[in-house]
Amino acid sequence: MNDLQQYFDRIQPRYYINEIASLGFTRLFRKMAVQKVKSYGDKRVLDLMSGQGENLKFLQLHNENTEIVTLDFSSAMNLKLSSTFKKKLFVKQIQDDFFESHIPDRSMDIILCSYGTKTIEEDKKKIFADKLSKIIDEKGEIIIVEFVKPKTAWRFTCVKWYIEILVSKLFGSEFGKLFHYINKNESLEDLKIQFIRNRLSIISHKRYLDLVEILHVKRD
């Protein structure tokens, strides 16, 4: 178990604080991203780096033929997801590191990934995009939502102070660590470029509040 896995296992009981500390913006942009797919009926869905299953509550028009697979390396997060959704949805859970997982090629219609890519090291981002490009089937869609480093100097300073000082003081230093990952994550542009190289089409790529980006791509 690596340090990041241990971190998420340790923080899980207080993970709800992320939504409080973000003033509700994590939930808002997650909902916007997930609902870019108008219907999940009869679809095979991979919720990648799924955490406690926060994406699942926003799936629209799903039915008994909606096949949902969640993947997360944190045992604590997986246990919480199971207890929350086992009576609401049929979910196949995989506890694994995505880079070590063996999800078959062309096996998914929709891939969702919310707030997980910022922890991926730069030298692994091409591998990440390539792996997603293989997993998605014809006409399939990939939607990624992520925090990014603000481009405007005053916004950057405000975000740094808010997370590293105020959030850490109010909720604990473990929540202030988020800024480290935001600071090194310039944008989703590198993933976008790799998806284009893999012959996927960009449906949309937009930055919100100079802090969050949503990337939506599709295989034609």
Side-chain angles (χ1 to χ4, degrees):
M1 182 183 294
N2 63 35
D3 292 343
L4 204 55
Q5 288 173 280
Q6 292 180 26
Y7 170 78
F8 283 108
D9 279 349
R10 187 170 61 251
I11 207 174
Q12 185 279 319
R14 302 178 67 218
Y15 198 64
Y16 66 91
I17 287 175
N18 277 328
E19 188 169 318
I20 297 172
S22 75
L23 307 177
F25 285 118
T26 52
R27 177 184 173 89
L28 171 65
F29 291 114
R30 182 193 303 277
K31 182 177 181 180
M32 286 174 58
V34 174
Q35 293 190 346
K36 284 183 174 293
V37 177
K38 300 307 179 185
S39 173
Y40 287 86
D42 306 316
K43 299 288 180 63
R44 299 163 297 172
V45 182
L46 173 62
D47 188 6
L48 184 58
M49 303 176 188
S50 51
Q52 301 179 131
E54 292 90 343
N55 283 341
L56 302 184
K57 66 187 70 172
F58 299 121
L59 300 188
Q60 301 185 103
L61 300 177
H62 54 80
N63 58 25
E64 66 275 7
N65 295 322
T66 303
E67 300 178 15
I68 301 170
V69 176
T70 63
L71 189 151
D72 198 284
F73 59 20
S74 166
S75 59
M77 292 291 184
N78 275 293
L79 285 171
K80 179 62 176 177
L81 187 153
S82 178
S83 66
T84 302
F85 291 99
K86 64 183 178 182
K87 294 182 180 179
K88 300 176 183 178
L89 297 166
F90 177 74
V91 179
K92 176 184 177 182
Q93 290 181 260
I94 300 173
Q95 184 178 320
D96 203 353
D97 185 311
F98 174 68
F99 292 98
E100 298 175 7
S101 63
H102 300 284
I103 300 173
D105 293 354
R106 303 294 180 100
S107 64
M108 295 292 162
D109 300 305
I110 306 294
I111 299 177
L112 305 172
C113 186
S114 297
Y115 307 116
T117 59
K118 62 183 172 293
T119 62
I120 299 174
E121 297 299 328
E122 286 298 319
D123 61 347
K124 287 189 173 182
K125 286 189 175 180
K126 179 183 182 300
I127 300 171
F128 179 76
D130 289 346
K131 196 171 175 72
L132 291 188
S133 300
K134 291 178 180 177
I135 291 171
I136 205 72
D137 204 355
E138 294 298 327
K139 308 296 183 182
E141 300 174 57
I142 302 169
I143 302 100
I144 299 171
V145 56
E146 189 55 89
F147 284 111
V148 292
K149 181 179 180 178
K151 295 179 179 179
T152 309
W154 70 266
R155 288 194 180 99
F156 174 83
T157 301
C158 289
V159 169
K160 178 178 172 63
W161 175 84
Y162 179 74
I163 296 176
E164 287 195 326
I165 306 300
L166 186 59
V167 169
S168 292
K169 185 174 182 179
L170 290 176
F171 302 113
S173 60
E174 63 269 32
F175 292 96
K177 292 179 181 179
L178 171 66
F179 185 76
H180 164 74
Y181 295 107
I182 294 176
N183 188 39
K184 71 184 186 68
N185 192 39
E186 299 281 349
S187 76
L188 296 177
E189 188 68 24
D190 46 0
L191 291 178
K192 173 184 171 181
I193 290 170
Q194 191 58 41
F195 285 133
I196 292 172
R197 288 173 178 163
N198 293 339
R199 299 185 178 182
L200 274 66
S201 299
I202 307 302
I203 297 177
S204 63
H205 179 206
K206 189 171 181 180
R207 179 176 287 231
Y208 301 86
L209 304 177
D210 199 19
L211 184 60
V212 175
E213 287 187 8
I214 299 177
L215 175 62
H216 185 187
V217 306
K218 184 176 182 179
R219 181 184 298 283
D220 294 326

